[in-house]
Amino acid sequence: LSTVGAGDALVAGLTAASRQELNAADSLRLAMAFAAAKLQRVGPHLPPEPQIRELAAAVSLQTLAAA
């Protein structure tokens, strides 16, 4: 598989989250799910929405401490 397009998929996920008016945490989860889904497929394709939602639910966010 290839990482080509993962960044574009992440931006597409942020765009989709914005259109859905999701909060910041849910926006990040959806964007990461789009990118992860792209990494699982060859070519410019994403899986069906239920699979994206499943991936988004599995994304764990952590707050980083300031250095």
Side-chain angles (χ1 to χ4, degrees), residues 22-44:
L22 298 180
N23 63 39
D26 288 340
S27 295
L28 291 172
R29 286 185 187 94
L30 187 62
M32 293 303 298
F34 268 57
K38 172 56 194 101
L39 294 174
Q40 297 173 0
R41 293 179 167 246
V42 175

Side-chain angles (χ1 to χ4, degrees), residues 2 6 18 21-22 24-25 30 32-35 37 40 44-47 49 57-58:
S2 172
S18 176
E21 299 181 357
L22 298 180
L30 187 62
M32 293 303 298
F34 268 57
Q40 297 173 0
H45 310 288
L46 291 173
E49 185 176 349

